[in-house]
Amino acid sequence: MHDLLKRRDQGHSIDVGILDFSKAFDTVPHKRLINKLRIYGIQGEILSWTESFLSSRQQLILCDGDKSEHCAVTSGVPQDTVLGPLLFLLHINDMPSVFDPRTSVRLFADDTLINRVIHGIEDQVALQRDLASLEQWASTGGMVFNASKCHIMHISRPSSHSYQYTCINFVAVLSSVTSKNTSESISNTTSSQGRGDGSKASTS
């Protein structure tokens, strides 16, 4: 947020994308994750141990005392573990490579914040291309964005450029934020990214 407010104080307009993966920790494909670990130089016993950590897991659904049959888990990183969140971060670590160099990216676990200083329509078109590239990256990596939690926020002094950003899976909601209430709006938007859909799964 410090970077955004600094640019705002310098008189710039900034478009910010607040993006959230849908069930992020449950959708990481194991085979693709292992391939990425190899690319990062993880080999030998550490790689074999990680494969063992992910493989041969099963899950069932428990609802009102009734249990489903066990089924194999072929995607996702185990939650409530030390290694699980780290593996997820390694899986999305290459995400910034799909963006234009003038677009800034911040990764916060399963939340992503992108922003770009807007000098004119050219910058907004470039940010739109970044969103399209990001969605292609997510599709290739087996990830899906949660449309209900993805928003575009426009931060500026009064009077600014208007642009409707779109993606295949969602049309981003544009929120105009002026210098008067920027800090409060950013804080409220980022803190409202809730988690959990009420269902529970037992994994072993």
Side-chain angles (χ1 to χ4, degrees), residues 99-130:
F99 291 102
D100 184 274
R102 293 175 59 187
T103 299
S104 299
V105 188
R106 297 290 185 270
L107 305 179
F108 307 95
D110 57 342
D111 297 320
T112 302
L113 187 74
I114 65 174
N115 68 87
R116 186 182 180 98
V117 173
I118 304 300
H119 299 288
I121 187 65
E122 300 83 3
D123 288 304
Q124 291 174 312
V125 171
L127 187 57
Q128 173 64 73
R129 287 197 299 265
D130 287 334

Side-chain angles (χ1 to χ4, degrees), residues 61-188:
I61 303 298
L62 176 63
C63 181
D64 294 332
D66 294 325
K67 296 181 180 179
S68 68
E69 297 293 328
H70 282 83
C71 63
V73 178
T74 59
S75 65
V77 293
Q79 300 184 45
D80 299 322
T81 66
V82 175
L83 190 58
L86 177 60
L87 291 174
F88 177 79
L89 290 176
L90 289 171
H91 179 63
I92 67 172
N93 189 58
D94 61 340
M95 182 199 300
S97 65
V98 307
F99 291 102
D100 184 274
R102 293 175 59 187
T103 299
S104 299
V105 188
R106 297 290 185 270
L107 305 179
F108 307 95
D110 57 342
D111 297 320
T112 302
L113 187 74
I114 65 174
N115 68 87
R116 186 182 180 98
V117 173
I118 304 300
H119 299 288
I121 187 65
E122 300 83 3
D123 288 304
Q124 291 174 312
V125 171
L127 187 57
Q128 173 64 73
R129 287 197 299 265
D130 287 334
L131 288 171
S133 298
L134 177 59
E135 193 159 39
Q136 180 59 48
W137 172 90
S139 177
T140 301
M143 310 292 289
V144 178
F145 285 102
N146 186 340
S148 65
K149 295 182 180 180
C150 293
H151 304 277
I152 296 293
M153 183 165 59
H154 184 70
I155 303 172
S156 70
R157 301 285 181 177
S159 80
S160 59
H161 308 281
S162 177
Y163 191 87
Q164 181 67 62
Y165 295 93
T166 61
C167 283
I168 296 174
N169 290 332
F170 67 91
V171 177
V173 178
L174 179 62
S175 302
S176 296
V177 182
T178 63
S179 59
K180 181 178 180 181
N181 57 359
T182 298
S183 300
E184 180 181 356
S185 296
I186 294 176
S187 177
N188 290 341

Side-chain angles (χ1 to χ4, degrees), residues 1-12 14:
M1 188 172 72
H2 173 74
D3 292 342
L4 299 179
L5 296 180
K6 181 178 179 180
R7 292 175 178 177
R8 187 279 315 265
D9 291 341
Q10 292 172 342
H12 296 301
I14 311 103

